[in-house]
Amino acid sequence: MKLQSQPATQRRSMLSAVGLAIALASCQGQIGEAVNGAPGGPPGPGSTGAGTTTGTGAGTGGTGGPGTCAAAAPAPGRSPLRRLNRAEYRNTLRDLFPTLTKVIDAAVATFPLDEEKLGFTNNADALTVTGFLAEQYMSSAETVAAEAVKDLTTLLPCNHTTVGDDACAKQFVDAFGTRALRRPLTSDESTRYFAMYTNGKPDGFEQGVSLAITAILESPNFLYRPETGVPTANASVLALTPYEMATRLSYFLWGSTPDTTPLDAAKAGKLVTPDDITAQARRMIADSKARQAAATFHSEWLSVGILGDKTKDKTLFPDWTVTAVSDLFQEISSFVDYAFWTEGRSEKFFTAPYTFVDASLATFYGMTPPSGAGFVKTNVDVSQRSGILTQGALMAIFSYENQTSPIHRGKFVRERLLCQQLESPPADIAAKVKPPMVDPSLSTRDRFAAHSAEPVCASCHHMMDPIGLGFENFDPIGRWRTKDGKFDVIATGTVNGTTDADGQFNGAVELGARLAQSNQVRECIVTQWFRFANARAETDLDQCTMAALKKSFADSTHDMREIPVLIATSDAFRFRAADGGGQ
Amino acid sequence: MRRNLSRRMFLRSATTGAALALPLLSDFDHDAHAADPTTFKRLIVIFTPNGTVTQAWKSSGSGATFQLGETLQPLAAHKNDIVVVPNLDMTCAMQGYGDAHGLGIGCMLTGTELLPGDQFKAGMGGPGSGWPGGISIDQYVASKVGAMSKFQSLNFSMKRASGTLWTRISYGAPGQPVTPYDDPQVAFDKIFGDIGADPAVLARQTARRRSVLDGVTREFATLSSSLSGADKRKVEGHLAAVRDIESRLDVMSGTSAICYKPVRPTISASQEVIRNDTGMEIMNAAADTDVPQRQTVWRQIMVAALACDLTRVTSFIMAPSRSDIFMNWLNLPGVPVGTPQSHHAYSHLDNSYASPSGQALVKTNQWYASQIANIIADLKATKEGAGTMWDNTVLFWCNELGEGAGHTHTNIPFLLAGSAGGYIKTGQALNIPAATPHNRLLISLCNAMGLPDTTFGNPKYCTGGALPGLKA
């Protein structure tokens, strides 16, 4: 059985509400992987609905009740072997060699790009290694090692001229190995890496040390994060070792390797109980590295990374300059950072009556420039803008060069905010229907009318266009407009097919208010964090974890800052399936 | 066997990038291989996307009566070196789930269907697919003829793009895409970096690498033995790549008599091709103005790498599938207002010969034909033994679609150039029945490269074996 993009209860209510059952079923895609051999089967979808989805009431099928999860053993789902992606590899090397940032960045810049899945670039299944990347790992390790040994004082834990070359090298190999592999070296490993030093030593002490570093940086135990786990009372479930937990926490919350604090805690046998883990997670979240990791999450979740590659028609939009792009990026980054770290509540994410502008962006938007220098929190006209939805960056990203794209704006809301995955258009679509072109004699709304008139289009597009057309007050570069060509903008829209956000709205501000109150949206935020934290899509085996996370998020009055901590102590994060969880 | 390298650790740096005029051969004996061209065949695979206008591609006749279609006119100077191969279907692309581009490009060089999976989305109603289910022809040939070269194969891509069905053409095994070089400077440093270096320094680097890789492969093996399923496959794939690096440590660069070191390119990778969730390219006209310059840079790297016998098999993705390169330098006839003037966009429109979008597609493919003509000219200009490098080469130009607008997998515009050491009868349009599976052309390519295969890819589509009329 495959995981549906939403619980069956939700789909049923959606279908009856919309009355396009067959078309919808064919349009909605599936997320995640087939899972085999779930022991005893997961609790039925009813448990998820009952536990976390309020207000649906419909369709309580399923075998499990709300109590099933609490009584059950930990159900960790899959734990695929994770390789460091580009960003994690770079961050890790920067933490291991803080003085070599430039060299490290230059090396990583030549790596092939990571493939993304469901928006995230850390998806374990998508991160394979080709011959080219294997070569880049080799060159990068050699380059970084050669640079590192140019400054032995910074690098070594001892003075090799007083302690003796070999003794100091031995200390270094064990200390550096522990940092790099995120656990103490086995005696085999210690011997092997010291032997590397010995191999290189005839060319000089530095050459010996650099060869040991090279070998460690090319080790699969460095490039991947293997987990052996330790047995639990339940034979089908393994707990993570404390070192493995330190590593998971760090890559989740910092996007990088653990510092010495969690490694020391692991050495002392801590990081086992939920309290230990919570305390360590809160310590890490208080560090500035967590701000960067959260920014990475938000950037990938909201597709902000592609802003820099958007070009616009120069004749129509001469204001689309490098400065404007950079300003819009700064605006959404500042907004998300504030909404998450300072505001916290998910409601404000959609309804905040402010944004962040500097003088140049204020001019771009036609706002009064703020008095302070740089980007300043500034109230907006709430009849036009509020929250994340009306950020100029998103409006520009989900537009074409010369026109808005109600399709992509609607699709963004569906997939990223409501967690409803849509299928791609059929390959032969172009042979059947011509895409709407810019036509001065029609408004955007009228040009897209074909999507609801043509059954082949309507089956999917009624999921996207009616939402996307509600953004028509925003032009292709994210500015407010009241005219679409010679036509007055009409920004009415409709949400359908959700558990609790359905209905008509007028403009993006009203849509934001509607999404702010939706449990489906709140749960989707949790789901997106889950995918980011675990480097995979949720599956049936995670139903109890998901149900518990969603309930705890609700109990926190939807404080988004709590989600990372809740995930860190969830079953999926603390345990692994002994059989791999259907890998 | 490892060649004796000491006498050949010579290198020359061309002083200008443009000159393919070769360094002084008189200093050196000819390489034994070069003296015997039949042992030195080379395969070049060129991919261009988005189909063609069949009417303008169509060619006919052979020998004196051989007429190139309008699209192929830029190749007129090399007419006698060309075989136009019509009427082939990519039968393996007509199975399973995927979009037309993904199904086509996956089947194109592998002759197999896509693996089941959900990694890549399908069109409406299907579950999607995984990667292609077989080794690609270039990688297969490379595995047989590439052992003597520093690089078993060299693979290049005009555009920087993350790995998807639409941005890769080569597969080392089922589900294992080969990442092409997309940064000319990185490629240059990797490929030619050793050339001209002090042999003692290189020897020491090799010894250090061997020492590290010996240990690393052992660690990989230990890790792999503790894993199963997808985790194990992932690590085994990585281990194979490490072993491949290790196996080539002793193979030195610049061993052929006609080797020369080109000038290091001044440009790095193109801007990344960004796609939205459904795999559609997010268009970026500004990023494409340097495409012609990049063609030249990659061609120079490719030809020099072949001349130096750093590889005998190379592939070049001139644009990814569904490419939306804006070919502003072509001054394309007007396509309808509101439609982006980019390759994939107009390939989707009316592709009748006379329509503006049809003409745009013809001109686009003519430009690609001219780029192929440039490669051929460079190879012909490089002397090797009694003839030129071109004598021992075969170039395979392929596309993931047949007709552009229809996104068909029938009558694919395949073209061969070069005789592969006299094996192929060039200067003709092949006369074969419609709907012949293209696997048979892949078999012919194996045979031309000296491999006796009678099937390639899914044997279901190999009935009849190599194509008739192709062998000289």
Side-chain angles (χ1 to χ4, degrees):
Chain A
M1 172 182 171
K2 283 203 165 189
L3 177 79
Q4 302 295 335
S5 52
Q6 51 194 289
T9 49
Q10 296 182 6
R11 274 183 297 124
R12 267 194 291 278
S13 67
M14 173 173 75
L15 300 187
S16 57
V18 178
L20 275 164
I22 294 164
L24 268 182
S26 71
C27 180
Q28 282 223 35
Q30 295 179 321
I31 297 173
E33 312 81 5
V35 284
N36 307 313
S47 67
T48 307
T52 62
T53 308
T54 57
T56 62
T60 50
T63 55
T68 313
C69 286
R78 294 178 58 211
S79 298
L81 177 65
R82 294 176 64 171
R83 167 168 80 68
L84 307 188
N85 70 6
R86 269 168 65 111
E88 290 166 342
Y89 178 91
R90 185 198 59 212
N91 295 345
T92 300
L93 283 187
R94 283 173 163 197
D95 285 347
L96 294 176
F97 303 101
T99 59
L100 301 182
T101 305
K102 273 190 181 162
V103 174
I104 291 161
D105 289 359
V108 177
T110 66
F111 283 24
L113 301 168
D114 294 321
E115 196 180 316
E116 77 171 42
K117 198 168 175 183
L118 292 168
F120 296 111
T121 61
N122 68 355
N123 189 288
D125 295 331
L127 293 177
T128 54
V129 168
T130 62
F132 179 57
L133 181 56
E135 288 207 10
Q136 298 306 84
Y137 279 147
M138 181 174 77
S139 322
S140 167
E142 290 171 355
T143 308
V144 171
E147 285 296 321
V149 297
K150 288 180 180 169
D151 181 5
L152 288 178
T153 319
T154 304
L155 183 71
L156 297 177
C158 39
N159 184 336
H160 70 109
T161 54
T162 53
V163 183
D165 284 355
D166 290 3
C168 188
K170 179 89 183 79
Q171 273 188 47
F172 169 74
V173 161
D174 289 342
F176 179 74
T178 300
R179 275 302 304 284
L181 303 194
R182 308 164 284 260
R183 56 166 174 75
L185 300 184
T186 64
S187 64
D188 267 8
E189 286 166 342
S190 177
T191 308
R192 192 182 310 140
Y193 296 138
F194 185 73
M196 287 296 158
Y197 155 77
T198 315
N199 286 349
K201 196 174 64 166
D203 292 327
F205 177 73
E206 290 82 358
Q207 294 305 311
V209 174
S210 105
L211 203 60
I213 296 174
T214 308
I216 291 170
L217 296 184
E218 290 183 48
S219 164
N221 292 302
F222 170 72
L223 298 171
Y224 294 84
R225 295 161 39 190
E227 293 170 342
T228 54
V230 289
T232 64
N234 182 332
S236 64
V237 174
L238 301 173
L240 296 186
T241 69
Y243 285 104
E244 289 161 3
M245 179 51 79
T247 298
R248 276 204 191 185
L249 282 173
S250 182
Y251 280 96
F252 171 36
L253 299 173
W254 284 356
S256 188
T257 199
D259 62 356
T260 51
T261 307
L263 294 180
D264 289 346
K267 190 176 180 184
K270 302 278 189 186
L271 293 182
V272 175
T273 65
D275 283 351
D276 273 1
I277 294 166
T278 301
Q280 190 60 236
R282 291 203 186 280
R283 181 193 76 90
M284 292 180 131
I285 286 169
D287 188 283
S288 64
K289 286 186 206 168
R291 270 190 126 87
Q292 183 51 51
T296 302
F297 164 76
H298 286 113
S299 171
E300 297 195 349
W301 169 35
L302 302 172
S303 318
V304 179
I306 58 179
L307 178 66
D309 295 289
K310 297 297 287 188
T311 53
K312 301 291 176 184
D313 188 313
K314 284 191 175 59
T315 315
L316 294 173
F317 303 108
D319 293 344
W320 188 254
T321 59
V322 174
T323 308
V325 172
S326 152
D327 287 348
L328 288 169
F329 186 78
Q330 186 67 46
E331 179 196 14
I332 193 168
S333 302
S334 306
F335 176 82
V336 166
D337 187 75
Y338 187 90
F340 182 80
W341 291 105
T342 306
E343 203 72 77
R345 301 269 316 278
S346 64
E347 180 182 342
K348 276 292 171 64
F349 197 62
F350 297 98
T351 59
Y354 51 80
T355 188
F356 288 77
V357 294
D358 67 353
S360 120
L361 187 61
T363 309
F364 175 87
Y365 277 143
M367 293 165 65
T368 311
S371 46
F375 278 76
V376 179
K377 179 163 166 271
T378 306
N379 285 333
V380 292
D381 176 350
V382 291
S383 70
Q384 297 180 358
R385 291 181 186 267
S386 72
I388 187 73
L389 290 181
T390 58
Q391 288 282 316
L394 291 185
M395 292 296 95
I397 286 168
F398 300 109
S399 290
Y400 293 107
E401 284 209 320
N402 56 359
Q403 56 180 314
T404 63
S405 177
I407 302 169
H408 291 102
R409 290 171 173 185
K411 191 164 181 290
F412 167 76
V413 171
R414 273 296 166 198
E415 295 197 336
R416 299 301 167 94
L417 305 181
L418 290 160
C419 288
Q420 294 172 312
Q421 205 68 15
L422 304 177
E423 287 281 0
S424 9
D428 58 352
I429 189 78
K432 294 179 179 162
V433 192
K434 299 300 173 206
M437 306 208 182
V438 171
D439 175 351
S441 70
L442 290 172
S443 70
T444 305
R445 183 173 286 268
D446 287 341
R447 284 186 291 116
F448 281 82
H451 282 160
S452 46
E454 292 269 357
V456 64
C457 303
S459 63
C460 266
H461 278 277
H462 89 278
M463 300 282 285
M464 298 179 274
D465 301 12
I467 294 179
L469 287 166
F471 290 98
E472 273 300 286
N473 276 126
F474 295 93
D475 75 6
I477 61 173
R479 293 178 309 194
W480 179 260
R481 67 177 185 183
T482 53
K483 289 279 189 187
D484 171 16
K486 61 186 178 186
F487 302 93
D488 289 335
V489 165
I490 301 168
T492 52
T494 311
V495 182
N496 53 35
T498 69
T499 57
D500 59 1
D502 287 4
Q504 312 267 330
F505 63 92
N506 188 0
V509 171
E510 280 189 27
L511 176 62
R514 182 172 285 276
L515 298 183
Q517 298 304 320
S518 162
N519 266 318
Q520 183 165 341
V521 171
R522 292 167 181 148
E523 294 182 357
C524 181
I525 297 173
V526 175
T527 300
Q528 300 288 2
W529 271 105
F530 178 95
R531 293 173 184 170
F532 177 71
N534 295 297
R536 62 176 175 88
E538 65 284 5
T539 72
D540 287 349
L541 292 175
D542 300 304
Q543 289 197 18
C544 287
T545 291
M546 296 307 296
L549 286 173
K550 290 168 181 176
K551 177 167 189 317
S552 305
F553 181 47
D555 291 346
S556 78
T557 62
H558 304 112
D559 186 338
M560 296 186 292
R561 291 167 295 193
E562 287 301 302
I563 298 175
V565 181
L566 297 172
I567 286 178
T569 51
S570 68
D571 285 357
F573 202 83
R574 287 178 60 211
F575 298 97
R576 6 184 334 114
D579 68 352
Q583 290 178 39
Chain B
M1 166 196 126
R2 302 290 181 200
R3 278 173 273 168
N4 172 10
L5 301 165
S6 53
R7 81 183 164 88
R8 268 182 257 126
M9 285 310 302
F10 68 105
L11 287 305
R12 315 170 179 269
S13 284
T15 47
T16 70
L20 276 164
L22 289 176
L24 316 158
L25 293 174
S26 55
D27 290 357
F28 297 95
D29 300 336
H30 280 187
D31 185 282
H33 292 275
D36 181 7
T38 57
T39 64
F40 219 101
K41 291 185 179 184
R42 300 176 175 100
L43 171 64
I44 300 172
V45 175
I46 303 289
F47 170 73
T48 66
N50 297 343
T52 189
V53 175
T54 306
Q55 182 185 336
W57 173 271
K58 203 165 178 234
S59 307
S60 63
S62 69
T65 65
F66 182 34
Q67 297 284 332
L68 288 173
E70 181 181 342
T71 304
L72 300 176
Q73 284 309 317
L75 286 157
H78 309 292
K79 197 175 98 170
N80 293 335
D81 301 298
I82 285 177
V83 185
V84 178
V85 191
N87 286 344
L88 292 185
D89 287 2
M90 293 201 292
T91 317
C92 47
M94 301 173 185
Q95 331 291 328
Y97 300 101
D99 83 317
H101 293 276
L103 287 163
I105 198 169
C107 156
M108 182 178 72
L109 297 183
T110 66
T112 63
E113 295 83 356
L114 300 178
L115 296 169
D118 63 359
Q119 191 153 8
F120 304 109
K121 289 184 178 184
M124 206 181 291
S129 78
W131 293 99
I135 189 172
S136 58
I137 182 87
D138 58 314
Q139 295 301 299
Y140 176 71
V141 169
S143 74
K144 300 293 182 186
V145 310
M148 289 300 295
S149 312
K150 184 172 170 70
F151 301 96
Q152 189 162 298
S153 70
L154 284 172
N155 309 277
F156 306 109
S157 173
M158 165 68 66
K159 288 284 186 178
R160 186 162 175 76
S162 61
T164 66
L165 268 183
W166 305 286
T167 60
R168 301 290 183 258
I169 58 172
S170 299
Y171 295 86
Q176 290 189 17
V178 173
T179 308
Y181 286 103
D182 55 20
D183 182 326
Q185 292 181 331
V186 171
F188 178 90
D189 293 343
K190 282 277 174 199
I191 298 167
F192 304 105
D194 292 353
I195 294 189
D198 177 347
V201 172
L202 285 178
R204 206 179 60 171
Q205 175 182 286
T206 300
R208 286 169 66 87
R209 283 185 171 164
R210 182 178 309 290
S211 163
V212 169
L213 293 177
D214 279 352
V216 167
T217 49
R218 274 202 302 269
E219 285 189 65
F220 265 103
T222 307
L223 175 60
S224 174
S225 69
S226 71
L227 301 172
S228 61
D231 288 351
K232 193 182 188 73
R233 284 196 295 281
K234 204 183 303 180
V235 167
E236 291 283 324
H238 191 162
L239 175 56
V242 173
R243 288 211 164 110
D244 182 63
I245 295 172
E246 196 178 21
S247 72
R248 287 163 196 285
L249 285 176
D250 280 338
V251 186
M252 303 301 278
S253 302
T255 56
S256 76
I258 56 172
C259 182
Y260 62 97
K261 186 174 185 172
V263 169
R264 189 172 192 269
T266 55
I267 48 174
S268 57
S270 75
Q271 232 178 335
E272 183 189 351
V273 172
I274 308 282
R275 290 166 191 272
N276 66 20
D277 291 351
T278 59
M280 302 296 281
E281 189 170 323
I282 293 170
M283 297 176 196
N284 186 353
D288 296 330
T289 51
D290 61 2
V291 163
Q293 180 197 4
R294 287 179 180 281
Q295 280 281 354
T296 304
V297 165
W298 282 120
R299 186 177 76 247
Q300 286 170 346
I301 288 176
M302 188 162 71
V303 172
L306 289 168
C308 288
D309 195 25
L310 291 163
T311 193
R312 294 176 188 181
V313 176
T314 176
S315 71
F316 183 23
I317 302 168
M318 286 190 174
S321 175
R322 296 190 182 186
S323 160
D324 265 318
I325 288 180
F326 285 72
M327 302 208 164
N328 291 337
W329 60 90
L330 291 182
N331 298 317
L332 295 173
V335 291
V337 174
T339 305
Q341 305 253 343
S342 68
H343 189 177
H344 184 232
Y346 51 73
S347 81
H348 255 276
L349 301 176
D350 181 358
N351 279 176
S352 60
Y353 175 75
S355 72
S357 44
Q359 281 297 302
L361 194 54
V362 169
K363 291 206 157 38
T364 297
N365 284 320
Q366 275 181 340
W367 187 74
Y368 282 124
S370 73
Q371 299 310 304
I372 286 170
N374 289 343
I375 296 171
I376 295 173
D378 281 0
L379 292 170
K380 282 184 173 177
T382 310
K383 298 231 178 303
E384 181 175 59
T388 73
M389 279 173 70
W390 180 241
D391 301 338
N392 308 313
T393 301
V394 58
L395 181 152
F396 177 36
W397 182 14
C398 51
N399 200 304
E400 89 280 31
L401 296 178
E403 196 246 332
H407 281 45
T408 58
H409 295 127
T410 56
N411 198 6
I412 311 294
F414 287 125
L415 179 141
L416 297 179
S419 71
Y423 182 92
I424 294 170
K425 183 183 172 214
T426 57
Q428 59 163 336
L430 269 194
N431 189 8
I432 47 179
T436 303
H438 90 297
N439 294 58
R440 298 180 63 187
L441 175 59
L442 301 180
I443 298 169
S444 293
L445 264 177
C446 288
N447 296 168
M449 288 301 293
L451 309 176
D453 298 73
T454 54
T455 66
F456 190 86
N458 190 335
K460 261 200 318 202
Y461 314 129
C462 297
T463 309
L467 288 177
L470 193 63
K471 191 173 182 307

